[in-house]
Amino acid sequence: MDAIWKEKLTDAIWIGKALFDRGKVTGSTSNLSFRHGDGMYITASGSCFGRLTPEHFAYVGLDGAAEGRRPSKEFPLHLALYRRDPACQAVLHTHSLYSTLWSCQEDVGERAGRLGAYTPYLNMLADGLTVVPYAPPGSGALFQLFEERAGEGRAYLLQNHGLLMAGKSLLDAFYLLEELEMSARVSWLLRGTESAVAYSERHLGRE
């Protein structure tokens, strides 16, 4: 393979290990991908982020045809972003703790804007957070719901499920995911704290 593919693969393996070591992923439930050529390389079904090697990636064309190892069952989520947004070159999907806690709140759609309200950094990186209604993981219903919203932004919160990040590169998606998880943690710990809400509204211009 060419040098650019090797660089992307090296980044993918490093990011997978970094997310695993930081407790942002568990077991083999998460997936990541990157665009290359006429398709994408995505972690294969059953892959653990803490033990990724080049053999743990499957190739899927933009037409959905897979080659080699069986790709993650959620590869249609990744394809939806690549097809809809030419600027998207990488996708990360995790079930990191604080973002998932927010995704399980009944009124998460109404509260989504609050996740980035307490500090300016999330809003500097992503233009809002798109909430996708719940459907079983890996189901056609989930893929349809996500397809309807793909391209609305870079950060997606799947209800009762987890995060999906679109990036201009793997590192770009990684930085955004890290920032969203930190914002979700801050917001979770400050929920109901009126002084924090008032301060953010005064100094960060939130409504």
Side-chain angles (χ1 to χ4, degrees):
M1 288 290 183
D2 60 74
I4 294 177
W5 178 83
K6 289 181 179 179
E7 182 178 355
K8 292 177 181 178
L9 185 63
T10 298
D11 285 345
I13 292 172
W14 179 85
I15 287 169
K17 186 66 162 55
L19 290 171
F20 184 84
D21 289 346
R22 299 176 191 189
K24 302 295 175 61
V25 298
T26 57
S28 61
T29 58
S30 299
N31 40 78
L32 65 83
S33 69
F34 58 88
R35 276 291 308 269
H36 192 72
D38 296 325
M40 69 172 179
Y41 286 86
I42 185 169
T43 44
S45 178
S47 297
C48 173
F49 273 25
R51 304 183 65 185
L52 291 179
T53 68
E55 288 70 38
H56 287 103
F57 289 82
Y59 178 81
V60 181
L62 292 184
D63 60 357
E67 299 177 12
R69 295 193 62 175
R70 182 160 61 95
S72 165
K73 66 181 180 181
E74 294 184 321
F75 76 86
L77 299 175
H78 299 241
L79 280 183
L81 289 169
Y82 292 133
R83 289 169 175 166
R84 190 68 58 84
D85 182 7
C88 178
Q89 295 294 307
V91 178
L92 298 180
H93 173 42
T94 73
H95 306 146
S96 47
L97 178 60
Y98 288 94
S99 299
T100 303
L101 282 171
W102 276 113
S103 82
C104 294
Q105 300 305 296
E106 186 175 2
D107 59 349
V108 62
E110 300 172 12
R111 295 189 180 203
R114 182 59 60 192
L115 267 66
Y118 297 110
T119 67
Y121 304 109
L122 177 61
N123 293 292
M124 291 166 59
L125 293 172
D127 184 16
L129 177 65
T130 300
V131 176
V132 180
Y134 176 78
S139 68
L142 174 61
F143 302 150
Q144 178 60 41
L145 287 168
F146 188 78
E147 182 76 34
E148 294 171 359
R149 292 161 176 78
E152 291 184 5
R154 299 176 59 201
Y156 298 83
L157 190 63
L158 311 181
Q159 280 193 296
N160 295 85
H161 188 156
L163 292 173
L164 202 76
M165 299 296 154
K168 294 175 287 186
S169 67
L170 281 163
L171 287 173
D172 180 52
F174 173 70
Y175 298 149
L176 176 56
L177 185 146
E178 288 275 87
E179 191 57 55
L180 180 50
E181 177 63 6
M182 176 58 73
S183 294
R185 180 179 182 181
V186 170
S187 296
W188 185 263
L189 295 175
L190 288 176
R191 68 193 190 283
T193 307
E194 295 304 322
S195 59
V197 173
Y199 184 87
S200 68
E201 290 174 348
R202 286 198 308 272
H203 295 275
L204 301 178
R206 306 289 176 250
E207 297 180 358

